[in-house]
Amino acid sequence: MTRPYVRALQEIDELQVAVAGGKGAHLGGLSRIEGIPVPDGFCVTTDAFRRIMAEVPSIDDRLDQLSRSDPDDRAAISALSAQIRRAIEQVVIPGDLAAEITGALAQFGEQAAYAVRSSATAEDLPTASFAGQQDTYLNIVGPTAVLRHVSRCWASLFTERAVTYRRRNGIDHRTVHMAVVVQRMVFAQAAGILFTADPVTGNRNVATVDAGFGLGEALVSGLVNPDVFKVRRGEIVEKAIAAKPRAVHALPAGGTREVAIDSQRQRVPALTDAQAVRLVGLGRRIEAHFGCPQDIEWCLIDDGFQIVQSRPITTLFPVPEAGDRENHVYVSVGHQQMMTDALKPLGLSMWRLTAMVPMSEAGGRLFVDVTRRLASPASRTGLLDLMGRGDPLVRDALETVLDRDDFVPSLPDADSGGPPAAPASAPVETDPTLVTGLVERSRTSVAALERDIRTKAGPTLFDFLLEAFEEHKRILGDPLSMRVIMAGMEATWWLNDKLGEWLGEKNAADTLTLSAPGNVTSEMGLALLDVADVIRPHPEVVAFLEDVEDEDFLDDLAELAGGTEAREAVEAYLGRYGMRCVGEIDITRPRWRERPTTLVPVILDHVRNFEPGAAERRFEQGRHRAREKEQDLLSRLRDLPDGNRKADEAKRMIDRVRTFIGYREYPKYDIVSRFFVYKQALLREAGRLVRSHVLRDKEDAFYLTFQEFHDVSRSGQVDERLIQQRKDAFRSYHDLTPPRVLTSDGEAVTGAYRRDDLPAGALIGLPVSTGTVEGRARVVLDMTEADLETGDILVTAHTDPSWSPLFVGISGLVTEVGGLMTHGAVIAREYGLPAVVGVEQATRLIRDGQRIRVHGADGYVEILSA
């Protein structure tokens, strides 16, 4: 065909999305794969859609209204989108365009039955499927009916669900266009969906076939449950045959209808095992052609398959590239760092360059390959014990993988793939000067970094940073620092284990560590209470802050009564903690110093909810409770057989934990302090490249790796297409949930707590801070939107150190991610907050405003109000 508005499917390939839309481009690609049967047809191109849209009255004004609409205002979107659809359908198709479509029909059979299918340019893409957002019409007979349904497909670009989906995903309505696929109708005996990777677990080696009788519409619409076949390496490994009481069949004169299936046939498989395996073989060829797992629509006719659609499966979490065909097991870094959001490319590469262990990247997240440590019996036990103490779900997931005898083969200890184990270090003395010495060494090193980096620019800056990263790792990996951290953690474990054994005390160390000295993160939370004390006496300042939007607001404070003092207090706080922010392991995230308005709502909450001097009182109360707990425990221990020895041992461990546990938070403070220095220098360099017209925007550098940024600085050239691709990919990663444990097969292995001692309906998690509390749940996904009152229980996905200022006003904590020694748990114990972490889907299962009870010692949450 050489018509300007119509192309045969064989003339199209998967790269022509702009012409044929996602569905049309993929069908064109499918039609080119040898041995893959695709129904004949053609595509009405996006040029035809543009021509029709140019005829729609007032379309620009209507699209402007739609773009300004609130994506949550369903009534407004419904009304506006319905107006646009009606206007499109009322446009008369011009004669030459209609003639092209009817001419194509004549070539394939004018009175044959056709499927008329929408194909949007933002549909069936590797990063977003848009499945079900536009319309498909089956068994359409005759040119007049086909033309009418082509118009309906054009209009379906503006269905309410399609409009809402684009608004939520930040896609401009004007950038999306609609092609229409017209294909010979397939009168299927059976139909369904083939996923070339397991859509639930993500396993790339397990294909799933859903099958039902008649047309696939019965499955898509949820009319019946499908038969399900799971196929691995050419064998059925699992099969479930459903009762299929109804099917959808085509009518001779056009259209479809539901029909009842004879009761004796309802549980007959829609496919034989051999057919399911053969279908998966076709799917593997399609997957190999497109280069990624596919969601494939198929039909069965007389023991032969027809493929009517294939699209990427966009919900699978990507697999790290290993460079070999061996099995690998990966553990999420984000779950250990309490930040499971996607990182931008510069953030990923900077964390990898400064990390102490090699890391792999997938889906905008980082993972550590633990395969060799799992394979070696000597290192396996230590790894599982460490992971289990931090996050039992990770340990359980790793044990699940190990139970599969063929996945991680056991290696001799000498073949564990890592350096020989170092001899155990002698324990450090319980000496507070060890901590002060480490802190001073860190401060001196960061100050030298700040001084030396000021004069660096261009390629010289990147060479300097590579040297700075070595100093970064030297400080972070200081053996003494590691020994001090482990001394505090081991003392905590000893106290919990021994006091549980001797006295029946659960998590006694939680109270013993209240207001431990030297914890920079808990001090940060309390210090913001002091800032609120400065601001509270000045009503003009409070009123001004309530309306602040500009990040330069501190400059305006001097004009207000009390404003100078308020500014000095905020500036002093930012001077100490301004390098922090939510998601701070990603260097590209805006820091408090860059976006101080982030802190304003928290400061105002503190002004309203606390009395002057609250920080000092909170700290002293915690210290008093810890001292009382110590005296009580020691007294009870002395009453036991061999009590004096036990009390002496416990006293040594209590002194040890209070000396060292606060330092646990300091290395992270050192890291983010350095990151802010690196970032400021890199942004200065990005600014230079903007002024030189190399980069369009400073933050475009965030979508380059460190090495790529270095190359751009040296060459003065940048690939803008690469930056746009990285932006699109980063946007797509937002909707992906990273697993705690991931295999090289792509399987997201989910661990379980494996407890049966909980009340009915309780939400299970990991106990990290003792105590029981009831209160109002406040489900907060963004720290800047927190609206907390004293006594509320914070429920969120994860908390890194930047959330600590919120902790001083709440009564309990529930998170979806976390472990015994992650930051949220440590600070909850410091503040005496009952806390349960690792509660799967807590932010969905608990509604904002519900009353809940948090059992911090036993690790579960009860929902008290419906």
Side-chain angles (χ1 to χ4, degrees):
M1 291 182 185
T2 56
R3 304 179 182 94
Y5 296 115
V6 172
R7 294 191 189 181
L9 289 180
Q10 290 78 6
E11 297 174 335
I12 300 167
D13 64 31
E14 58 268 26
L15 300 179
Q16 294 177 288
V17 173
V19 172
K23 186 182 278 104
H26 273 78
L27 281 167
L30 281 170
S31 69
R32 292 166 174 249
I33 306 174
E34 186 177 351
I36 301 298
V38 178
D40 289 334
F42 59 91
C43 182
V44 183
T45 69
T46 53
D47 284 340
F49 173 77
R50 291 187 187 91
R51 184 171 173 187
I52 294 298
M53 289 294 285
E55 301 296 324
V56 178
S58 306
I59 187 61
D60 286 334
D61 291 342
R62 294 178 182 187
L63 290 177
D64 286 341
Q65 290 181 55
L66 206 56
S67 297
R68 292 193 298 267
S69 62
D70 182 344
D72 295 320
D73 188 346
R74 293 188 59 184
I77 288 177
S78 178
L80 282 168
S81 57
Q83 290 175 18
I84 294 173
R85 290 198 305 275
R86 283 194 298 271
I88 293 172
E89 290 184 37
Q90 287 168 4
V91 173
V92 176
I93 299 177
D96 60 328
L97 173 52
E100 283 195 32
I101 297 171
T102 55
L105 289 173
Q107 192 169 355
F108 291 108
E110 192 172 78
Q111 293 303 318
Y114 289 89
V116 182
R117 314 173 72 191
S118 304
S119 180
T121 54
E123 182 178 16
D124 296 350
L125 304 181
T127 56
S129 78
F130 284 74
Q133 301 301 313
Q134 285 87 38
D135 291 344
T136 289
Y137 301 95
L138 301 178
N139 201 28
I140 307 303
V141 179
T144 301
V146 169
L147 289 172
R148 183 169 65 252
H149 286 86
V150 167
S151 287
R152 288 182 178 177
C153 284
W154 287 330
S156 75
L157 188 65
F158 296 97
T159 62
E160 180 182 338
R161 61 184 180 275
V163 167
T164 302
Y165 193 92
R166 288 196 296 272
R167 291 284 286 118
R168 292 191 188 282
N169 285 274
I171 297 172
D172 186 345
H173 301 300
R174 287 182 172 83
T175 65
V176 183
H177 305 289
M178 179 70 80
V180 180
V181 173
V182 182
Q183 279 181 291
R184 287 290 296 262
M185 183 68 189
V186 177
F187 297 97
Q189 296 155 338
I193 309 293
L194 160 63
F195 299 96
T196 62
D198 190 313
V200 177
T201 69
N203 194 318
R204 302 322 196 250
N205 291 323
V206 176
T208 301
V209 178
D210 289 358
F213 294 129
L215 302 179
E217 184 64 20
L219 300 186
V220 173
S221 65
L223 183 65
V224 295
N225 291 323
D227 296 339
V228 179
F229 302 81
K230 291 188 181 291
V231 180
R232 182 185 179 97
R233 297 192 174 95
E235 293 185 2
I236 304 284
V237 294
E238 190 177 326
K239 179 169 63 175
I241 306 304
K244 300 173 287 296
R246 305 191 70 76
V248 174
H249 285 179
L251 294 170
T256 61
R257 69 170 180 175
E258 292 181 18
V259 297
I261 302 296
D262 183 88
S263 60
Q264 294 183 336
R265 190 165 167 256
Q266 289 179 10
R267 288 196 175 272
V268 173
L271 294 178
T272 66
D273 288 1
Q275 287 171 333
V277 171
R278 180 154 48 92
L279 175 61
V280 170
L282 293 176
R284 291 297 180 209
R285 292 167 69 180
I286 295 169
E287 179 184 67
H289 175 84
F290 288 118
C292 63
Q294 297 287 300
D295 165 353
I296 298 168
E297 298 177 21
W298 57 268
C299 298
L300 178 69
I301 310 98
D302 297 330
D303 197 40
F305 289 102
Q306 291 276 317
I307 304 301
V308 296
Q309 177 59 318
S310 184
R311 63 174 69 89
I313 306 175
T314 60
T315 56
L316 298 175
F317 198 87
V319 182
E321 292 184 11
D324 59 40
R325 293 182 171 273
E326 302 296 318
N327 290 340
H328 293 268
V329 183
Y330 302 97
V331 172
S332 165
V333 173
H335 285 80
Q336 310 305 311
Q337 291 293 332
M338 297 290 281
M339 210 293 274
T340 57
D341 296 342
L343 282 71
K344 293 187 176 76
L346 185 61
L348 290 165
S349 64
M350 291 287 285
W351 191 261
R352 293 175 76 176
L353 284 166
T354 55
M356 300 303 295
V357 296
M359 293 182 181
S360 302
E361 175 188 333
R365 278 79 168 186
L366 293 170
F367 295 84
V368 174
D369 187 341
V370 297
T371 315
R372 303 290 276 182
R373 293 182 67 187
L374 284 176
S376 168
S379 58
R380 180 188 308 146
T381 301
L383 175 67
L384 292 175
D385 185 54
L386 182 65
M387 293 295 177
R389 285 188 179 275
D391 185 343
L393 293 179
V394 173
R395 174 172 184 147
D396 189 77
L398 292 175
E399 289 176 333
T400 299
V401 175
L402 287 170
D403 287 342
R404 301 168 187 167
D405 295 335
D406 60 338
F407 197 84
V408 181
S410 187
L411 297 175
D413 287 342
D415 210 13
S416 63
S425 300
V428 295
E429 294 295 321
T430 305
D431 180 359
T433 64
L434 294 176
V435 173
T436 55
L438 288 167
V439 170
E440 184 56 35
R441 193 178 313 171
S442 166
R443 288 176 177 166
T444 300
S445 177
V446 172
L449 172 67
E450 291 175 327
R451 180 189 66 240
D452 296 343
I453 205 170
R454 288 176 189 149
T455 58
K456 305 300 186 291
T460 303
L461 168 65
F462 293 88
D463 295 335
F464 172 83
L465 284 171
L466 288 172
E467 294 179 7
F469 297 162
E470 295 308 309
E471 169 69 2
H472 179 131
K473 289 190 280 189
R474 187 188 69 78
I475 292 290
L476 192 61
D478 184 338
L480 178 59
S481 176
M482 300 302 293
R483 288 165 65 197
V484 166
I485 291 171
M486 289 308 300
M489 293 172 63
E490 288 167 353
T492 300
W493 298 336
W494 188 96
L495 287 166
N496 284 337
D497 290 345
K498 291 298 184 181
L499 296 177
E501 175 188 341
W502 294 338
L503 297 175
E505 282 276 342
K506 279 188 179 179
N507 302 323
D510 292 359
T511 305
L512 293 169
T513 54
L514 288 172
S515 299
N519 187 315
V520 68
T521 306
S522 62
E523 289 169 356
M524 177 176 71
L526 295 174
L528 206 59
L529 286 171
D530 292 333
V531 174
D533 285 353
V534 175
I535 291 171
R536 189 179 293 106
H538 306 292
E540 283 187 58
V541 174
V542 173
F544 171 79
L545 292 177
E546 287 172 344
D547 296 322
V548 156
E549 294 181 0
D550 190 339
E551 298 299 343
D552 296 329
F553 72 92
L554 291 173
D555 295 338
D556 300 326
L557 280 174
E559 301 172 9
L560 306 174
T564 299
E565 297 95 316
R567 175 176 176 165
E568 289 174 354
V570 175
E571 287 284 4
Y573 187 87
L574 292 174
R576 177 104 166 106
Y577 306 110
M579 77 294 288
R580 312 218 79 147
C581 68
V582 172
E584 61 194 12
I585 68 171
D586 183 354
I587 196 172
T588 72
R589 289 288 188 102
R591 310 283 139 172
W592 289 344
R593 167 57 76 183
E594 298 168 312
R595 196 172 291 177
T597 55
T598 303
L599 293 172
V600 170
V602 186
I603 293 171
L604 291 173
D605 280 348
H606 290 352
V607 167
R608 285 190 297 268
N609 296 331
F610 291 93
E611 295 295 323
E616 184 177 355
R617 284 196 303 277
R618 288 286 296 266
F619 188 80
E620 286 304 318
Q621 287 166 1
R623 188 156 57 181
H624 180 70
R625 283 182 59 195
R627 192 161 49 244
E628 281 190 333
K629 185 70 173 178
E630 174 184 338
Q631 293 169 352
D632 172 65
L633 291 170
L634 296 178
S635 174
R636 290 162 60 195
L637 285 171
R638 291 190 182 98
D639 291 338
L640 298 176
D642 199 18
N644 287 334
R645 179 189 63 81
K646 292 174 180 176
D648 290 344
E649 287 184 19
K651 173 60 176 170
R652 281 195 296 273
M653 286 299 175
I654 291 169
D655 290 345
R656 199 166 177 77
V657 80
R658 290 195 65 81
T659 298
F660 294 134
I661 200 65
Y663 179 72
R664 165 70 178 78
E665 292 292 299
Y666 201 86
K668 184 71 174 289
Y669 179 82
D670 176 279
I671 291 170
V672 295
S673 297
R674 294 174 190 275
F675 264 36
F676 191 40
V677 178
Y678 304 154
K679 181 181 184 180
Q680 290 172 306
L682 289 169
L683 281 175
R684 286 195 297 271
E685 178 62 14
R688 183 185 72 82
L689 292 170
V690 170
R691 291 190 297 275
S692 301
H693 307 291
V694 177
L695 293 177
R696 290 179 182 272
D697 185 270
K698 284 198 299 185
E699 293 194 0
D700 282 354
F702 294 166
Y703 296 92
L704 300 170
T705 66
F706 180 84
Q707 184 58 55
E708 289 166 348
F709 195 175
H710 190 175
D711 293 342
V712 170
S713 175
R714 184 168 41 241
S715 68
Q717 296 180 324
V718 68
D719 184 346
E720 292 186 355
R721 289 175 302 174
L722 174 65
I723 290 175
Q724 188 57 52
Q725 289 168 3
R726 295 272 177 79
K727 289 179 178 179
D728 292 341
F730 179 73
R731 190 181 301 115
S732 75
Y733 295 152
H734 278 295
D735 293 333
L736 297 177
T737 300
R740 285 175 166 83
V741 173
L742 180 68
T743 73
S744 50
D745 283 349
E747 182 179 3
V749 187
T750 304
Y753 288 104
R754 306 191 188 284
R755 290 175 56 186
D756 55 8
D757 58 342
L758 302 176
L763 307 180
I764 187 171
L766 176 67
V768 295
S769 184
T770 194
T772 300
V773 65
E774 285 185 22
R776 180 179 65 161
R778 297 314 307 258
V779 179
V780 179
L781 301 180
D782 183 341
M783 176 182 161
T784 62
E785 297 178 359
D787 181 15
L788 299 169
E789 296 180 4
T790 303
D792 284 344
I793 298 171
L794 175 62
V795 180
T796 189
H798 45 73
T799 61
D800 61 12
S802 69
W803 287 69
S804 299
L806 296 183
F807 282 24
V808 298
I810 60 175
S811 62
L813 175 68
V814 179
T815 69
E816 295 177 338
V817 175
L820 190 63
M821 295 308 293
T822 50
H823 303 282
V826 170
I827 304 308
R829 290 194 291 272
E830 279 271 327
Y831 288 169
L833 302 176
V836 179
V837 303
V839 180
E840 297 278 78
Q841 299 188 44
T843 60
R844 296 176 187 151
L845 297 174
I846 300 171
R847 294 197 310 275
D848 187 58
Q850 283 186 310
R851 286 196 67 78
I852 63 173
R853 182 183 295 129
V854 177
H855 296 263
D858 295 315
Y860 66 92
V861 180
E862 292 179 281
I863 299 175
L864 304 178
S865 62

